């Protein structure tokens, strides 16, 4: 299992939202590149970055901050937010992003996901963000009539590297991961699933390392790290010991 620290970008700053609400943003660092370096120094192996403004706008809005993060790190970076066409996707991969995450476009333009996964095998993930099991798009501003499970199943044969499943109702409010729904999705798919939304403490890490969660490819943590509720050294030590 990989534990991904998250950097969410809003107006060039490192923030965390509560339940995806842009009006409920807390700024944690004015220097996203330094925050990224801090995560690497702490021993994290892979960074998760989201361009929040880009997710709403449908095109990159924090490119300068993302490029500064890429220049600052040696560990791989996965990036989502505003990636809606092949030109944008290719541009980020060429600049050093290891894996791109397609969210809204996976619903609106599934052929784009398939083409991207074909052209860039192993480097395209799908972000499934759900409210009460139904997929939300456009920076979580609109909920569709498509279930998370149906969307995941629609890409089973597409060559997608991973699915990042976020329970929006839990995101940024430290109530714990929705293990039940995440496992239901993972067990119904062959695509690796990464859990996101609500990771609150070491207890969540311990839960993720239980045998029934073995199929999960990882989890994303944000506010718990920034608030000091999750000690990076403890969390990573637990994961390393489980791998041994």
């Amino acid at each position: 299992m990989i534990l991904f620290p998250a950097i969410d970008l809003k107006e060039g700053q490192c923030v965390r939202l509560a339940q995806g609400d842009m009006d409920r943003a807390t700024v944690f660092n004015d220097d996203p590149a330094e925050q990224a370096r801090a995560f690497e120094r702490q021993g994290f192996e892979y960074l998760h970055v989201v361009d929040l403004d880009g997710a709403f706008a449908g095109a990159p809005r924090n490119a300068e901050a993302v490029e500064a993060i890429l220049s600052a790190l040696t560990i791989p970076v996965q990036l989502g937010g505003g990636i809606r066409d092949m030109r944008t996707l290719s541009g980020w991969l060429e600049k050093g992003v290891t894996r791109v995450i397609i969210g809204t476009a996976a619903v609106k333009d599934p052929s784009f996901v398939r083409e991207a996964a074909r052209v860039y095998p192993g480097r395209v993930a799908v972000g499934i963000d759900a409210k009460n099991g139904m997929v939300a798009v456009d920076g979580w501003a609109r909920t569709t009539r498509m279930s998370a499970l149906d969307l995941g199943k629609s890409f089973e044969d597409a060559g997608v590297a991973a699915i990042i499943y976020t329970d929006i109702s839990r995101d940024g409010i430290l109530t714990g991961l929705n293990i039940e729904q995440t496992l239901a999705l993972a067990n119904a798919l062959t695509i690796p699933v990464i859990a996101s939304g609500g990771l609150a403490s070491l207890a969540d890490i311990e839960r993720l390392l239980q045998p029934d969660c073995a199929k999960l490819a990882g989890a994303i943590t944000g506010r718990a790290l920034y608030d000091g509720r999750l000690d990076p050294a403890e969390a990573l030590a637990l994961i390393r010991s489980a791998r041994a």
Side-chain angles (χ1 to χ4, degrees), residues 156 183 185-194 208 210-218:
E156 274 285 77
L183 281 180
L185 183 65
N187 289 328
L189 303 176
T190 59
I191 306 168
V193 173
I194 296 166
L208 287 164
Q210 295 301 306
D212 63 331
C213 289
K215 191 171 184 180
L216 297 181

Side-chain angles (χ1 to χ4, degrees), residues 199-207 229-231 234-236 238:
L199 195 151
S201 68
L202 204 63
D204 281 303
I205 304 298
E206 292 168 344
R207 179 67 186 90
R229 296 168 189 249
L230 182 67
D231 181 89
E234 280 188 286
L236 293 171
L238 261 183

Side-chain angles (χ1 to χ4, degrees), residues 16-240:
R16 295 302 295 168
L17 305 185
Q19 297 177 313
D21 187 345
M22 289 286 268
D23 293 328
R24 296 164 67 194
T26 304
V27 178
F28 283 101
N29 200 322
D30 290 329
D31 187 343
E34 175 50 38
Q35 183 62 64
R37 280 190 291 267
F39 284 143
E40 183 169 29
R41 287 194 299 268
Q42 288 166 355
F44 288 101
E45 301 172 347
Y46 211 129
L47 181 67
H48 175 82
V49 179
V50 178
D51 178 351
L52 293 172
D53 301 302
F56 279 89
R61 288 292 182 270
N62 285 283
E64 185 176 336
V66 174
E67 288 168 12
I69 288 169
L70 293 171
S71 297
L73 296 182
T74 60
I75 60 172
V77 173
Q78 64 181 18
L79 172 70
I83 300 172
R84 310 276 172 91
D85 56 55
M86 192 64 85
R87 180 181 177 183
T88 303
L89 185 148
S90 300
W92 280 127
L93 293 178
E94 288 165 7
K95 286 179 179 178
V97 171
T98 300
R99 183 160 67 192
V100 291
I101 305 163
I102 302 173
T104 294
V107 177
K108 296 183 174 181
D109 188 8
S111 61
F112 164 51
V113 175
R114 293 176 175 277
E115 175 68 4
R118 184 187 67 79
V119 176
Y120 298 105
R123 302 188 72 185
V124 176
V126 169
I128 299 182
D129 308 319
K131 291 181 179 178
N132 300 316
M134 307 307 287
V135 176
V137 296
D138 298 326
W140 302 354
R142 184 172 68 84
T143 304
T144 71
R145 295 182 178 179
M146 178 178 287
S147 74
L149 182 56
D150 286 344
L151 182 59
K153 284 183 173 179
S154 72
F155 293 116
E156 274 285 77
D157 61 345
V160 171
I163 283 175
I164 296 152
Y165 177 72
T166 304
D167 183 337
I168 296 169
S169 67
R170 297 183 181 226
D171 194 64
I173 60 171
L174 301 165
T175 56
L177 292 164
N178 190 334
I179 294 292
E180 184 180 353
Q181 283 194 12
T182 307
L183 281 180
L185 183 65
N187 289 328
L189 303 176
T190 59
I191 306 168
V193 173
I194 296 166
S196 174
L199 195 151
S201 68
L202 204 63
D204 281 303
I205 304 298
E206 292 168 344
R207 179 67 186 90
L208 287 164
L209 296 174
Q210 295 301 306
D212 63 331
C213 289
K215 191 171 184 180
L216 297 181
I220 293 166
T221 177
R223 188 176 287 271
L225 282 177
Y226 294 105
D227 282 352
R229 296 168 189 249
L230 182 67
D231 181 89
E234 280 188 286
L236 293 171
L238 261 183
I239 293 168
R240 282 194 298 270

